Amino acid sequence: MMTSTTNRASYPRITFNEPHSLSIRIWHWLTYLTLTASLTCVLLGSTLFKTKDNIAMVQGLLQEKGATVTKDQAGNVAHEYSDKMWNWHKFLGYGLCFLLLSRAVIEVAQPTEEKLKVKIKRALGFAPISEEDKKDKKHYIWVKRGYLLFYLGLFIMALTGLGLAFEDVPLLKDWNKRITTIHSFVQYFIYAYILFHLIGVIITDSGKNKGIVSGMIHGGKDI
């Protein structure tokens, strides 16, 4: 009986209330803010600040002030505002690249139980899991696999974003259309992940795993 209890206690617990180091918490919220700002720039740049949708407005406003401009001239003015929005998106992209690089550095200093490789083993089902947690195993594994896909998506977004930011480099010019297509496609995966992540966290935090959100603020509890 004692042996059984000891063995079970040595197994990693299946819980979403995992401890989070200060560096991970700071990284998480900085990434959240950077992604939110970046996606906001995309939304505004594709709607309110879209050049062709603002040409008529620019012409009309200038005509009200007594100035007459051509469609091309109005387009140049409207394009300036669009450029400013996309430049902000580019700078935020640089920030995302820095955050991805810093995540790799943080991983080295993480406590063993919080290292990504340990969580990857759990996600792939290689690490032992106690009997009492078997019913939660499937959910836990899919969530962790989702994290891995999210990191992969961010990496692709950052890599293709750099390719677009340095599109004037001769080696990248021929690949510009392909890079743009990949960058545009992967962004929808990021949108979908963020949406499902928020919904999942709210549902889980409202159930038996209360404290997930506050745990990412104050550090969570030990496994």
Side-chain angles (χ1 to χ4, degrees), residues 97-146:
C97 292
F98 172 78
L99 286 169
L100 282 172
L101 181 61
S102 66
R103 181 62 181 86
V105 175
I106 290 172
E107 180 68 11
V108 177
Q110 283 288 87
T112 301
E113 67 276 8
E114 294 184 40
K115 286 185 179 294
L116 186 58
K117 66 179 181 180
V118 174
K119 295 182 179 182
I120 290 175
K121 285 181 180 179
R122 290 183 187 177
L124 295 176
F126 292 150
I129 298 172
S130 65
E131 289 292 329
E132 64 192 67
D133 292 323
K134 277 187 175 179
K135 60 183 179 180
D136 294 325
K137 174 180 176 180
K138 189 174 183 180
H139 183 199
Y140 183 89
I141 288 175
W142 279 110
V143 168
K144 294 305 178 184
R145 284 175 175 168

mmCIF file of all heavy atoms in Angstrom, residues 97-146:
data_model
loop_
_atom_site.group_PDB
_atom_site.id
_atom_site.type_symbol
_atom_site.label_atom_id
_atom_site.label_comp_id
_atom_site.label_asym_id
_atom_site.label_seq_id
_atom_site.Cartn_x
_atom_site.Cartn_y
_atom_site.Cartn_z
ATOM 1 N N CYS A 97 9.339 38.971 -32.571
ATOM 2 C CA CYS A 97 10.565 38.203 -32.821
ATOM 3 C C CYS A 97 11.456 38.196 -31.579
ATOM 4 O O CYS A 97 12.022 37.156 -31.218
ATOM 5 C CB CYS A 97 11.330 38.786 -34.003
ATOM 6 S SG CYS A 97 10.506 38.584 -35.597
ATOM 7 N N PHE A 98 11.571 39.358 -30.939
ATOM 8 C CA PHE A 98 12.364 39.446 -29.712
ATOM 9 C C PHE A 98 11.770 38.569 -28.611
ATOM 10 O O PHE A 98 12.498 37.893 -27.876
ATOM 11 C CB PHE A 98 12.439 40.898 -29.240
ATOM 12 C CG PHE A 98 13.072 41.056 -27.887
ATOM 13 C CD1 PHE A 98 14.453 40.985 -27.733
ATOM 14 C CD2 PHE A 98 12.285 41.257 -26.755
ATOM 15 C CE1 PHE A 98 15.041 41.121 -26.482
ATOM 16 C CE2 PHE A 98 12.864 41.385 -25.504
ATOM 17 C CZ PHE A 98 14.243 41.319 -25.363
ATOM 18 N N LEU A 99 10.448 38.574 -28.494
ATOM 19 C CA LEU A 99 9.779 37.767 -27.472
ATOM 20 C C LEU A 99 9.988 36.275 -27.711
ATOM 21 O O LEU A 99 10.193 35.506 -26.768
ATOM 22 C CB LEU A 99 8.282 38.096 -27.439
ATOM 23 C CG LEU A 99 7.921 39.444 -26.795
ATOM 24 C CD1 LEU A 99 6.469 39.790 -27.067
ATOM 25 C CD2 LEU A 99 8.200 39.411 -25.299
ATOM 26 N N LEU A 100 9.953 35.857 -28.969
ATOM 27 C CA LEU A 100 10.202 34.450 -29.286
ATOM 28 C C LEU A 100 11.626 34.050 -28.922
ATOM 29 O O LEU A 100 11.870 32.967 -28.390
ATOM 30 C CB LEU A 100 9.936 34.186 -30.765
ATOM 31 C CG LEU A 100 8.470 34.055 -31.171
ATOM 32 C CD1 LEU A 100 8.349 33.980 -32.693
ATOM 33 C CD2 LEU A 100 7.831 32.831 -30.538
ATOM 34 N N LEU A 101 12.569 34.934 -29.223
ATOM 35 C CA LEU A 101 13.964 34.672 -28.875
ATOM 36 C C LEU A 101 14.139 34.634 -27.361
ATOM 37 O O LEU A 101 14.838 33.754 -26.824
ATOM 38 C CB LEU A 101 14.859 35.750 -29.484
ATOM 39 C CG LEU A 101 16.368 35.605 -29.235
ATOM 40 C CD1 LEU A 101 16.885 34.299 -29.838
ATOM 41 C CD2 LEU A 101 17.123 36.798 -29.825
ATOM 42 N N SER A 102 13.499 35.559 -26.664
ATOM 43 C CA SER A 102 13.616 35.601 -25.207
ATOM 44 C C SER A 102 12.968 34.374 -24.568
ATOM 45 O O SER A 102 13.409 33.915 -23.509
ATOM 46 C CB SER A 102 12.978 36.877 -24.652
ATOM 47 O OG SER A 102 11.578 36.893 -24.862
ATOM 48 N N ARG A 103 11.936 33.817 -25.215
ATOM 49 C CA ARG A 103 11.285 32.609 -24.679
ATOM 50 C C ARG A 103 12.269 31.447 -24.665
ATOM 51 O O ARG A 103 12.260 30.617 -23.737
ATOM 52 C CB ARG A 103 10.057 32.245 -25.522
ATOM 53 C CG ARG A 103 9.291 31.004 -25.024
ATOM 54 C CD ARG A 103 8.753 31.223 -23.638
ATOM 55 N NE ARG A 103 8.045 30.056 -23.129
ATOM 56 C CZ ARG A 103 8.607 29.035 -22.522
ATOM 57 N NH1 ARG A 103 9.928 29.040 -22.341
ATOM 58 N NH2 ARG A 103 7.893 28.020 -22.073
ATOM 59 N N ALA A 104 13.112 31.369 -25.683
ATOM 60 C CA ALA A 104 14.130 30.311 -25.730
ATOM 61 C C ALA A 104 15.151 30.504 -24.612
ATOM 62 O O ALA A 104 15.605 29.536 -23.999
ATOM 63 C CB ALA A 104 14.818 30.317 -27.092
ATOM 64 N N VAL A 105 15.498 31.766 -24.329
ATOM 65 C CA VAL A 105 16.456 32.054 -23.258
ATOM 66 C C VAL A 105 15.834 31.732 -21.901
ATOM 67 O O VAL A 105 16.483 31.140 -21.028
ATOM 68 C CB VAL A 105 16.882 33.540 -23.305
ATOM 69 C CG1 VAL A 105 17.779 33.875 -22.123
ATOM 70 C CG2 VAL A 105 17.604 33.837 -24.618
ATOM 71 N N ILE A 106 14.567 32.100 -21.720
ATOM 72 C CA ILE A 106 13.859 31.831 -20.468
ATOM 73 C C ILE A 106 13.800 30.335 -20.201
ATOM 74 O O ILE A 106 13.937 29.885 -19.063
ATOM 75 C CB ILE A 106 12.432 32.416 -20.522
ATOM 76 C CG1 ILE A 106 12.492 33.947 -20.492
ATOM 77 C CG2 ILE A 106 11.590 31.900 -19.361
ATOM 78 C CD1 ILE A 106 11.156 34.615 -20.744
ATOM 79 N N GLU A 107 13.606 29.548 -21.261
ATOM 80 C CA GLU A 107 13.484 28.097 -21.122
ATOM 81 C C GLU A 107 14.700 27.486 -20.433
ATOM 82 O O GLU A 107 14.579 26.552 -19.631
ATOM 83 C CB GLU A 107 13.294 27.466 -22.505
ATOM 84 C CG GLU A 107 13.161 25.955 -22.504
ATOM 85 C CD GLU A 107 11.881 25.460 -21.865
ATOM 86 O OE1 GLU A 107 10.979 26.285 -21.608
ATOM 87 O OE2 GLU A 107 11.781 24.256 -21.605
ATOM 88 N N VAL A 108 15.862 28.010 -20.727
ATOM 89 C CA VAL A 108 17.107 27.483 -20.148
ATOM 90 C C VAL A 108 17.119 27.663 -18.632
ATOM 91 O O VAL A 108 17.611 26.801 -17.892
ATOM 92 C CB VAL A 108 18.334 28.187 -20.769
ATOM 93 C CG1 VAL A 108 19.620 27.699 -20.120
ATOM 94 C CG2 VAL A 108 18.371 27.945 -22.273
ATOM 95 N N ALA A 109 16.554 28.775 -18.164
ATOM 96 C CA ALA A 109 16.593 29.082 -16.732
ATOM 97 C C ALA A 109 15.373 28.568 -15.965
ATOM 98 O O ALA A 109 15.301 28.723 -14.746
ATOM 99 C CB ALA A 109 16.698 30.595 -16.546
ATOM 100 N N GLN A 110 14.432 27.947 -16.667
ATOM 101 C CA GLN A 110 13.213 27.471 -16.026
ATOM 102 C C GLN A 110 13.471 26.322 -15.050
ATOM 103 O O GLN A 110 14.373 25.499 -15.281
ATOM 104 C CB GLN A 110 12.220 26.975 -17.080
ATOM 105 C CG GLN A 110 11.499 28.081 -17.822
ATOM 106 C CD GLN A 110 10.474 28.763 -16.937
ATOM 107 O OE1 GLN A 110 10.783 29.698 -16.213
ATOM 108 N NE2 GLN A 110 9.251 28.305 -16.990
ATOM 109 N N PRO A 111 12.686 26.241 -13.945
ATOM 110 C CA PRO A 111 12.745 25.048 -13.083
ATOM 111 C C PRO A 111 12.394 23.818 -13.914
ATOM 112 O O PRO A 111 11.634 23.920 -14.878
ATOM 113 C CB PRO A 111 11.667 25.329 -12.025
ATOM 114 C CG PRO A 111 11.492 26.812 -12.044
ATOM 115 C CD PRO A 111 11.741 27.238 -13.452
ATOM 116 N N THR A 112 12.923 22.668 -13.551
ATOM 117 C CA THR A 112 12.741 21.451 -14.335
ATOM 118 C C THR A 112 11.277 21.159 -14.631
ATOM 119 O O THR A 112 10.905 20.854 -15.773
ATOM 120 C CB THR A 112 13.357 20.236 -13.611
ATOM 121 O OG1 THR A 112 14.744 20.486 -13.411
ATOM 122 C CG2 THR A 112 13.191 18.968 -14.435
ATOM 123 N N GLU A 113 10.419 21.266 -13.603
ATOM 124 C CA GLU A 113 9.015 20.908 -13.788
ATOM 125 C C GLU A 113 8.264 21.896 -14.675
ATOM 126 O O GLU A 113 7.165 21.605 -15.146
ATOM 127 C CB GLU A 113 8.298 20.811 -12.435
ATOM 128 C CG GLU A 113 8.138 22.117 -11.682
ATOM 129 C CD GLU A 113 9.354 22.492 -10.852
ATOM 130 O OE1 GLU A 113 10.389 21.795 -10.981
ATOM 131 O OE2 GLU A 113 9.282 23.475 -10.094
ATOM 132 N N GLU A 114 8.862 23.073 -14.926
ATOM 133 C CA GLU A 114 8.210 24.060 -15.768
ATOM 134 C C GLU A 114 8.829 24.150 -17.158
ATOM 135 O O GLU A 114 8.391 24.963 -17.980
ATOM 136 C CB GLU A 114 8.269 25.436 -15.096
ATOM 137 C CG GLU A 114 7.460 25.524 -13.813
ATOM 138 C CD GLU A 114 7.471 26.927 -13.217
ATOM 139 O OE1 GLU A 114 7.386 27.897 -13.995
ATOM 140 O OE2 GLU A 114 7.586 27.044 -11.989
ATOM 141 N N LYS A 115 9.842 23.341 -17.420
ATOM 142 C CA LYS A 115 10.483 23.382 -18.733
ATOM 143 C C LYS A 115 9.532 22.883 -19.814
ATOM 144 O O LYS A 115 8.743 21.960 -19.588
ATOM 145 C CB LYS A 115 11.766 22.546 -18.733
ATOM 146 C CG LYS A 115 12.926 23.198 -17.989
ATOM 147 C CD LYS A 115 14.184 22.391 -18.141
ATOM 148 C CE LYS A 115 15.354 23.048 -17.409
ATOM 149 N NZ LYS A 115 15.742 24.332 -18.012
ATOM 150 N N LEU A 116 9.638 23.485 -20.967
ATOM 151 C CA LEU A 116 8.753 23.132 -22.072
ATOM 152 C C LEU A 116 8.922 21.675 -22.492
ATOM 153 O O LEU A 116 7.960 21.013 -22.855
ATOM 154 C CB LEU A 116 9.022 24.057 -23.269
ATOM 155 C CG LEU A 116 8.083 23.919 -24.465
ATOM 156 C CD1 LEU A 116 6.643 24.169 -24.059
ATOM 157 C CD2 LEU A 116 8.512 24.878 -25.574
ATOM 158 N N LYS A 117 10.167 21.163 -22.406
ATOM 159 C CA LYS A 117 10.394 19.782 -22.838
ATOM 160 C C LYS A 117 9.628 18.789 -21.974
ATOM 161 O O LYS A 117 9.179 17.739 -22.460
ATOM 162 C CB LYS A 117 11.885 19.453 -22.845
ATOM 163 C CG LYS A 117 12.554 19.457 -21.477
ATOM 164 C CD LYS A 117 14.028 19.106 -21.597
ATOM 165 C CE LYS A 117 14.695 19.083 -20.220
ATOM 166 N NZ LYS A 117 16.141 18.745 -20.337
ATOM 167 N N VAL A 118 9.465 19.107 -20.680
ATOM 168 C CA VAL A 118 8.694 18.243 -19.787
ATOM 169 C C VAL A 118 7.228 18.268 -20.187
ATOM 170 O O VAL A 118 6.557 17.230 -20.236
ATOM 171 C CB VAL A 118 8.866 18.692 -18.319
ATOM 172 C CG1 VAL A 118 7.942 17.898 -17.399
ATOM 173 C CG2 VAL A 118 10.313 18.526 -17.889
ATOM 174 N N LYS A 119 6.724 19.457 -20.503
ATOM 175 C CA LYS A 119 5.329 19.579 -20.907
ATOM 176 C C LYS A 119 5.091 18.953 -22.275
ATOM 177 O O LYS A 119 4.008 18.437 -22.557
ATOM 178 C CB LYS A 119 4.920 21.053 -20.904
ATOM 179 C CG LYS A 119 4.956 21.660 -19.500
ATOM 180 C CD LYS A 119 4.500 23.102 -19.485
ATOM 181 C CE LYS A 119 4.527 23.652 -18.062
ATOM 182 N NZ LYS A 119 4.057 25.043 -17.989
ATOM 183 N N ILE A 120 6.118 18.999 -23.137
ATOM 184 C CA ILE A 120 6.008 18.349 -24.442
ATOM 185 C C ILE A 120 5.888 16.836 -24.255
ATOM 186 O O ILE A 120 5.079 16.177 -24.918
ATOM 187 C CB ILE A 120 7.228 18.675 -25.320
ATOM 188 C CG1 ILE A 120 7.198 20.150 -25.753
ATOM 189 C CG2 ILE A 120 7.268 17.761 -26.551
ATOM 190 C CD1 ILE A 120 8.416 20.590 -26.513
ATOM 191 N N LYS A 121 6.669 16.275 -23.333
ATOM 192 C CA LYS A 121 6.586 14.845 -23.061
ATOM 193 C C LYS A 121 5.195 14.466 -22.584
ATOM 194 O O LYS A 121 4.636 13.448 -22.976
ATOM 195 C CB LYS A 121 7.629 14.444 -22.014
ATOM 196 C CG LYS A 121 9.053 14.387 -22.544
ATOM 197 C CD LYS A 121 10.033 13.950 -21.462
ATOM 198 C CE LYS A 121 11.454 13.886 -22.004
ATOM 199 N NZ LYS A 121 12.425 13.476 -20.961
ATOM 200 N N ARG A 122 4.628 15.311 -21.738
ATOM 201 C CA ARG A 122 3.270 15.052 -21.278
ATOM 202 C C ARG A 122 2.290 15.136 -22.447
ATOM 203 O O ARG A 122 1.383 14.320 -22.584
ATOM 204 C CB ARG A 122 2.876 16.071 -20.215
ATOM 205 C CG ARG A 122 3.600 15.900 -18.902
ATOM 206 C CD ARG A 122 3.093 16.916 -17.904
ATOM 207 N NE ARG A 122 3.888 16.889 -16.682
ATOM 208 C CZ ARG A 122 3.699 17.723 -15.665
ATOM 209 N NH1 ARG A 122 2.751 18.636 -15.731
ATOM 210 N NH2 ARG A 122 4.458 17.639 -14.594
ATOM 211 N N ALA A 123 2.478 16.161 -23.274
ATOM 212 C CA ALA A 123 1.583 16.344 -24.411
ATOM 213 C C ALA A 123 1.630 15.173 -25.382
ATOM 214 O O ALA A 123 0.637 14.807 -25.990
ATOM 215 C CB ALA A 123 1.939 17.644 -25.137
ATOM 216 N N LEU A 124 2.805 14.588 -25.518
ATOM 217 C CA LEU A 124 2.961 13.449 -26.430
ATOM 218 C C LEU A 124 2.633 12.120 -25.748
ATOM 219 O O LEU A 124 2.647 11.074 -26.378
ATOM 220 C CB LEU A 124 4.394 13.415 -26.972
ATOM 221 C CG LEU A 124 4.790 14.607 -27.848
ATOM 222 C CD1 LEU A 124 6.260 14.509 -28.236
ATOM 223 C CD2 LEU A 124 3.931 14.683 -29.092
ATOM 224 N N GLY A 125 2.344 12.197 -24.463
ATOM 225 C CA GLY A 125 1.938 10.999 -23.746
ATOM 226 C C GLY A 125 3.065 10.095 -23.324
ATOM 227 O O GLY A 125 2.840 8.937 -22.978
ATOM 228 N N PHE A 126 4.323 10.587 -23.312
ATOM 229 C CA PHE A 126 5.462 9.745 -22.958
ATOM 230 C C PHE A 126 5.696 9.698 -21.449
ATOM 231 O O PHE A 126 6.208 8.733 -20.929
ATOM 232 C CB PHE A 126 6.734 10.251 -23.638
ATOM 233 C CG PHE A 126 6.710 10.075 -25.127
ATOM 234 C CD1 PHE A 126 7.387 10.942 -25.961
ATOM 235 C CD2 PHE A 126 6.005 9.031 -25.704
ATOM 236 C CE1 PHE A 126 7.373 10.783 -27.339
ATOM 237 C CE2 PHE A 126 5.982 8.864 -27.078
ATOM 238 C CZ PHE A 126 6.657 9.736 -27.890
ATOM 239 N N ALA A 127 5.329 10.773 -20.749
ATOM 240 C CA ALA A 127 5.565 10.810 -19.305
ATOM 241 C C ALA A 127 4.488 10.001 -18.588
ATOM 242 O O ALA A 127 3.340 9.960 -19.034
ATOM 243 C CB ALA A 127 5.555 12.257 -18.813
ATOM 244 N N PRO A 128 4.811 9.345 -17.454
ATOM 245 C CA PRO A 128 3.816 8.567 -16.717
ATOM 246 C C PRO A 128 2.763 9.469 -16.092
ATOM 247 O O PRO A 128 3.047 10.596 -15.715
ATOM 248 C CB PRO A 128 4.648 7.862 -15.645
ATOM 249 C CG PRO A 128 5.839 8.739 -15.466
ATOM 250 C CD PRO A 128 6.147 9.311 -16.825
ATOM 251 N N ILE A 129 1.542 8.990 -16.005
ATOM 252 C CA ILE A 129 0.428 9.763 -15.464
ATOM 253 C C ILE A 129 -0.316 8.903 -14.454
ATOM 254 O O ILE A 129 -0.558 7.723 -14.694
ATOM 255 C CB ILE A 129 -0.528 10.219 -16.586
ATOM 256 C CG1 ILE A 129 0.224 11.124 -17.554
ATOM 257 C CG2 ILE A 129 -1.726 10.961 -16.012
ATOM 258 C CD1 ILE A 129 -0.544 11.479 -18.780
ATOM 259 N N SER A 130 -0.674 9.456 -13.319
ATOM 260 C CA SER A 130 -1.331 8.693 -12.266
ATOM 261 C C SER A 130 -2.737 8.254 -12.676
ATOM 262 O O SER A 130 -3.373 8.881 -13.532
ATOM 263 C CB SER A 130 -1.408 9.538 -10.995
ATOM 264 O OG SER A 130 -2.243 10.660 -11.201
ATOM 265 N N GLU A 131 -3.227 7.204 -12.024
ATOM 266 C CA GLU A 131 -4.542 6.654 -12.329
ATOM 267 C C GLU A 131 -5.644 7.684 -12.111
ATOM 268 O O GLU A 131 -6.586 7.773 -12.886
ATOM 269 C CB GLU A 131 -4.800 5.425 -11.451
ATOM 270 C CG GLU A 131 -3.968 4.207 -11.828
ATOM 271 C CD GLU A 131 -4.377 3.635 -13.177
ATOM 272 O OE1 GLU A 131 -5.566 3.751 -13.530
ATOM 273 O OE2 GLU A 131 -3.512 3.102 -13.876
ATOM 274 N N GLU A 132 -5.531 8.462 -11.041
ATOM 275 C CA GLU A 132 -6.587 9.415 -10.707
ATOM 276 C C GLU A 132 -6.735 10.523 -11.733
ATOM 277 O O GLU A 132 -7.758 11.198 -11.793
ATOM 278 C CB GLU A 132 -6.314 10.034 -9.330
ATOM 279 C CG GLU A 132 -5.047 10.869 -9.291
ATOM 280 C CD GLU A 132 -4.636 11.240 -7.882
ATOM 281 O OE1 GLU A 132 -4.267 10.340 -7.124
ATOM 282 O OE2 GLU A 132 -4.728 12.445 -7.567
ATOM 283 N N ASP A 133 -5.699 10.701 -12.559
ATOM 284 C CA ASP A 133 -5.756 11.781 -13.556
ATOM 285 C C ASP A 133 -6.019 11.276 -14.972
ATOM 286 O O ASP A 133 -6.003 12.076 -15.914
ATOM 287 C CB ASP A 133 -4.436 12.565 -13.555
ATOM 288 C CG ASP A 133 -4.237 13.358 -12.275
ATOM 289 O OD1 ASP A 133 -5.230 13.889 -11.761
ATOM 290 O OD2 ASP A 133 -3.097 13.429 -11.804
ATOM 291 N N LYS A 134 -6.252 9.992 -15.147
ATOM 292 C CA LYS A 134 -6.413 9.454 -16.497
ATOM 293 C C LYS A 134 -7.584 10.077 -17.249
ATOM 294 O O LYS A 134 -7.523 10.276 -18.457
ATOM 295 C CB LYS A 134 -6.566 7.942 -16.448
ATOM 296 C CG LYS A 134 -5.238 7.213 -16.367
ATOM 297 C CD LYS A 134 -5.413 5.715 -16.503
ATOM 298 C CE LYS A 134 -4.055 5.012 -16.535
ATOM 299 N NZ LYS A 134 -4.206 3.542 -16.648
ATOM 300 N N LYS A 135 -8.659 10.390 -16.539
ATOM 301 C CA LYS A 135 -9.835 10.957 -17.204
ATOM 302 C C LYS A 135 -9.569 12.357 -17.753
ATOM 303 O O LYS A 135 -10.259 12.816 -18.666
ATOM 304 C CB LYS A 135 -11.024 10.981 -16.256
ATOM 305 C CG LYS A 135 -10.808 11.796 -14.986
ATOM 306 C CD LYS A 135 -12.024 11.675 -14.089
ATOM 307 C CE LYS A 135 -11.816 12.470 -12.791
ATOM 308 N NZ LYS A 135 -13.005 12.349 -11.908
ATOM 309 N N ASP A 136 -8.560 13.039 -17.183
ATOM 310 C CA ASP A 136 -8.214 14.379 -17.671
ATOM 311 C C ASP A 136 -7.068 14.358 -18.680
ATOM 312 O O ASP A 136 -6.700 15.402 -19.222
ATOM 313 C CB ASP A 136 -7.815 15.286 -16.499
ATOM 314 C CG ASP A 136 -8.974 15.558 -15.561
ATOM 315 O OD1 ASP A 136 -10.109 15.662 -16.059
ATOM 316 O OD2 ASP A 136 -8.745 15.657 -14.349
ATOM 317 N N LYS A 137 -6.514 13.169 -18.895
ATOM 318 C CA LYS A 137 -5.321 13.056 -19.737
ATOM 319 C C LYS A 137 -5.566 13.562 -21.157
ATOM 320 O O LYS A 137 -4.768 14.342 -21.698
ATOM 321 C CB LYS A 137 -4.851 11.614 -19.778
ATOM 322 C CG LYS A 137 -3.696 11.361 -20.743
ATOM 323 C CD LYS A 137 -3.278 9.897 -20.737
ATOM 324 C CE LYS A 137 -2.188 9.642 -21.776
ATOM 325 N NZ LYS A 137 -1.761 8.228 -21.786
ATOM 326 N N LYS A 138 -6.664 13.138 -21.774
ATOM 327 C CA LYS A 138 -6.933 13.486 -23.170
ATOM 328 C C LYS A 138 -7.040 14.995 -23.347
ATOM 329 O O LYS A 138 -6.458 15.574 -24.276
ATOM 330 C CB LYS A 138 -8.213 12.799 -23.638
ATOM 331 C CG LYS A 138 -8.466 12.925 -25.125
ATOM 332 C CD LYS A 138 -9.670 12.089 -25.535
ATOM 333 C CE LYS A 138 -9.879 12.172 -27.041
ATOM 334 N NZ LYS A 138 -11.045 11.356 -27.468
ATOM 335 N N HIS A 139 -7.773 15.633 -22.448
ATOM 336 C CA HIS A 139 -7.937 17.080 -22.514
ATOM 337 C C HIS A 139 -6.596 17.782 -22.356
ATOM 338 O O HIS A 139 -6.250 18.698 -23.124
ATOM 339 C CB HIS A 139 -8.911 17.533 -21.428
ATOM 340 C CG HIS A 139 -9.205 18.998 -21.449
ATOM 341 N ND1 HIS A 139 -9.722 19.668 -20.372
ATOM 342 C CD2 HIS A 139 -9.033 19.941 -22.420
ATOM 343 C CE1 HIS A 139 -9.871 20.943 -20.673
ATOM 344 N NE2 HIS A 139 -9.455 21.144 -21.909
ATOM 345 N N TYR A 140 -5.828 17.354 -21.365
ATOM 346 C CA TYR A 140 -4.527 17.960 -21.083
ATOM 347 C C TYR A 140 -3.590 17.838 -22.282
ATOM 348 O O TYR A 140 -2.918 18.807 -22.668
ATOM 349 C CB TYR A 140 -3.912 17.267 -19.857
ATOM 350 C CG TYR A 140 -2.587 17.850 -19.418
ATOM 351 C CD1 TYR A 140 -2.538 18.891 -18.512
ATOM 352 C CD2 TYR A 140 -1.379 17.353 -19.910
ATOM 353 C CE1 TYR A 140 -1.326 19.426 -18.085
ATOM 354 C CE2 TYR A 140 -0.170 17.877 -19.496
ATOM 355 C CZ TYR A 140 -0.153 18.911 -18.582
ATOM 356 O OH TYR A 140 1.052 19.439 -18.181
ATOM 357 N N ILE A 141 -3.550 16.643 -22.879
ATOM 358 C CA ILE A 141 -2.659 16.399 -24.017
ATOM 359 C C ILE A 141 -3.010 17.293 -25.192
ATOM 360 O O ILE A 141 -2.135 17.895 -25.821
ATOM 361 C CB ILE A 141 -2.702 14.919 -24.434
ATOM 362 C CG1 ILE A 141 -1.981 14.062 -23.384
ATOM 363 C CG2 ILE A 141 -2.054 14.710 -25.800
ATOM 364 C CD1 ILE A 141 -2.075 12.578 -23.636
ATOM 365 N N TRP A 142 -4.308 17.435 -25.486
ATOM 366 C CA TRP A 142 -4.716 18.266 -26.619
ATOM 367 C C TRP A 142 -4.408 19.746 -26.376
ATOM 368 O O TRP A 142 -4.034 20.473 -27.293
ATOM 369 C CB TRP A 142 -6.201 18.069 -26.920
ATOM 370 C CG TRP A 142 -6.449 16.837 -27.739
ATOM 371 C CD1 TRP A 142 -7.043 15.690 -27.337
ATOM 372 C CD2 TRP A 142 -6.077 16.634 -29.105
ATOM 373 N NE1 TRP A 142 -7.074 14.767 -28.366
ATOM 374 C CE2 TRP A 142 -6.485 15.326 -29.464
ATOM 375 C CE3 TRP A 142 -5.437 17.416 -30.066
ATOM 376 C CZ2 TRP A 142 -6.270 14.792 -30.732
ATOM 377 C CZ3 TRP A 142 -5.223 16.892 -31.333
ATOM 378 C CH2 TRP A 142 -5.646 15.593 -31.658
ATOM 379 N N VAL A 143 -4.563 20.176 -25.124
ATOM 380 C CA VAL A 143 -4.241 21.565 -24.797
ATOM 381 C C VAL A 143 -2.752 21.831 -25.008
ATOM 382 O O VAL A 143 -2.358 22.838 -25.601
ATOM 383 C CB VAL A 143 -4.637 21.893 -23.339
ATOM 384 C CG1 VAL A 143 -4.045 23.238 -22.907
ATOM 385 C CG2 VAL A 143 -6.155 21.947 -23.211
ATOM 386 N N LYS A 144 -1.896 20.919 -24.528
ATOM 387 C CA LYS A 144 -0.456 21.101 -24.675
ATOM 388 C C LYS A 144 -0.028 21.014 -26.135
ATOM 389 O O LYS A 144 0.871 21.736 -26.578
ATOM 390 C CB LYS A 144 0.298 20.055 -23.843
ATOM 391 C CG LYS A 144 0.098 20.208 -22.339
ATOM 392 C CD LYS A 144 0.454 21.613 -21.871
ATOM 393 C CE LYS A 144 0.207 21.788 -20.391
ATOM 394 N NZ LYS A 144 0.458 23.178 -19.953
ATOM 395 N N ARG A 145 -0.656 20.145 -26.891
ATOM 396 C CA ARG A 145 -0.359 20.083 -28.324
ATOM 397 C C ARG A 145 -0.781 21.384 -29.009
ATOM 398 O O ARG A 145 -0.126 21.844 -29.948
ATOM 399 C CB ARG A 145 -1.064 18.887 -28.953
ATOM 400 C CG ARG A 145 -0.394 17.556 -28.631
ATOM 401 C CD ARG A 145 -1.178 16.391 -29.155
ATOM 402 N NE ARG A 145 -0.461 15.132 -28.928
ATOM 403 C CZ ARG A 145 -0.992 13.928 -29.078
ATOM 404 N NH1 ARG A 145 -2.271 13.813 -29.449
ATOM 405 N NH2 ARG A 145 -0.279 12.846 -28.856
ATOM 406 N N GLY A 146 -1.867 21.954 -28.513
ATOM 407 C CA GLY A 146 -2.302 23.249 -29.038
ATOM 408 C C GLY A 146 -1.271 24.321 -28.785
ATOM 409 O O GLY A 146 -1.014 25.178 -29.638
#
